[in-house]
Amino acid sequence: MRSPVFAVWYSVLMSGAEPLLVRPVRKELLAAARGSLLIVGLGPGHDLSYLPPSVTSVTAIEPNPVMRRVAGRRARKLGIRFDLIDGIAEALPFESDSFDTLLSPFLLCSVGDVPAALTEFRRVLRPDGELLVLEHIRAEGPMLGRLQDLVDTPWHALSDGCHPNRRTKSALAAAGFAVADLVTATFPLPTPVSPYLVGRASVDPHPA
Ligand SMILES: C[S@@+](CC[C@H](N)C(=O)[O-])C[C@H]1O[C@@H](n2cnc3c(N)ncnc32)[C@H](O)[C@@H]1O
């Protein structure tokens, strides 16, 4: 979770992949952010480029010190003031009901304990708050999903704990988020980290 090598290669990879593959998706998703925004697993900080005026404050959690340095540099270039905190999704250092929006950007593939992280998301979000989801997930089709299962062990070792085959939509529903508005899409290049799940999830007042 704190590999400096991963932080460097991910930052370099994303400087190319972000404008090509991810930028329009992130931008559209972040347009829904409002009020106090918490970004968990900020990484190199691409989300900071797309903050809409409806966001009044930004706080971010990132456990990897090299990622924090890269994100801090990006924020300074953009002239953004925000709180960047060392921490993990499973134990967020905030009081309950602290945030209007929580962004989970390619994070849940890597967290050690997904149910614990999602319990924390619910706790720190205000009751009318919204979770913005952008997560790569296990493919539904038998071929690609099996392939993701096969590459999981080496991928996990090389990518600082990332699993390409997580069933994140079910995990969100099990944690009490309303997932009906989340959509599954694919990147235009074949990669083990496609498809992805994107959209807005509120706290479900009537969980199954
Ligand atoms: C695949 S990177 C994604 C980075 C960035 N969010 C993006 O969209 O490009 C995953 C990030 O989550 C962070 N991370 C991993 N496990 C975490 C945890 N348990 N809590 C918070 N962040 C975590 C990693 O350090 C890394 O920066």
Side-chain angles (χ1 to χ4, degrees), residues 52-64:
S54 48
V55 167
T56 51
S57 67
V58 182
T59 306
I61 288 283
E62 174 51 57
N64 188 315

Side-chain angles (χ1 to χ4, degrees), residues 1-3 6 62-65 67 87-90 110-112 160-161:
M1 187 210 297
R2 293 180 173 90
S3 156
F6 173 73
E62 174 51 57
N64 188 315
M67 292 287 199
I88 58 168
E90 296 92 322
S110 300
V111 304
D160 206 19

Side-chain angles (χ1 to χ4, degrees), residues 15 19 28 35 46-47 51-52 62 69 88 145 150 166 185 187 191 193:
S15 62
E28 189 179 338
H46 289 281
D47 300 294
L51 298 174
E62 174 51 57
R69 229 171 294 145
I88 58 168
L150 281 174
R166 284 213 156 143
F187 291 118
T191 144
V193 291

Side-chain angles (χ1 to χ4, degrees), residues 114-154:
V114 173
L118 296 179
T119 300
E120 281 293 84
F121 288 6
R122 282 198 58 159
R123 182 182 69 76
V124 302
L125 268 175
R126 300 208 167 100
D128 63 344
E130 204 164 47
L131 174 64
L132 303 184
V133 177
L134 177 57
E135 295 287 353
H136 66 82
I137 54 171
R138 189 181 189 280
E140 290 296 328
M143 287 286 282
L144 185 54
R146 288 292 305 282
L147 200 64
Q148 288 172 314
D149 294 341
L150 281 174
V151 301
D152 180 51
T153 302

Side-chain angles (χ1 to χ4, degrees), residues 49-134:
S49 302
Y50 316 122
L51 298 174
S54 48
V55 167
T56 51
S57 67
V58 182
T59 306
I61 288 283
E62 174 51 57
N64 188 315
V66 178
M67 292 287 199
R68 287 202 299 276
R69 229 171 294 145
V70 177
R73 261 204 311 270
R74 188 181 304 281
R76 280 192 292 283
K77 265 195 204 151
L78 291 166
I80 291 170
R81 291 167 65 92
F82 76 124
D83 290 326
L84 179 52
I85 297 167
D86 180 10
I88 58 168
E90 296 92 322
L92 294 173
F94 308 110
E95 300 202 341
S96 300
D97 301 343
S98 291
F99 297 96
D100 297 304
T101 310
L102 191 157
L103 173 66
S104 180
F106 300 124
L107 161 78
L108 294 171
C109 54
S110 300
V111 304
D113 186 340
V114 173
L118 296 179
T119 300
E120 281 293 84
F121 288 6
R122 282 198 58 159
R123 182 182 69 76
V124 302
L125 268 175
R126 300 208 167 100
D128 63 344
E130 204 164 47
L131 174 64
L132 303 184
V133 177
L134 177 57

Side-chain angles (χ1 to χ4, degrees), residues 25-26 29 133-135 181-185 196-200:
V25 182
R26 263 194 224 273
L29 180 65
V133 177
L134 177 57
E135 295 287 353
D181 293 338
L182 299 181
V183 297
T184 301
Y196 62 90
L197 188 66
V198 63
R200 303 158 68 166

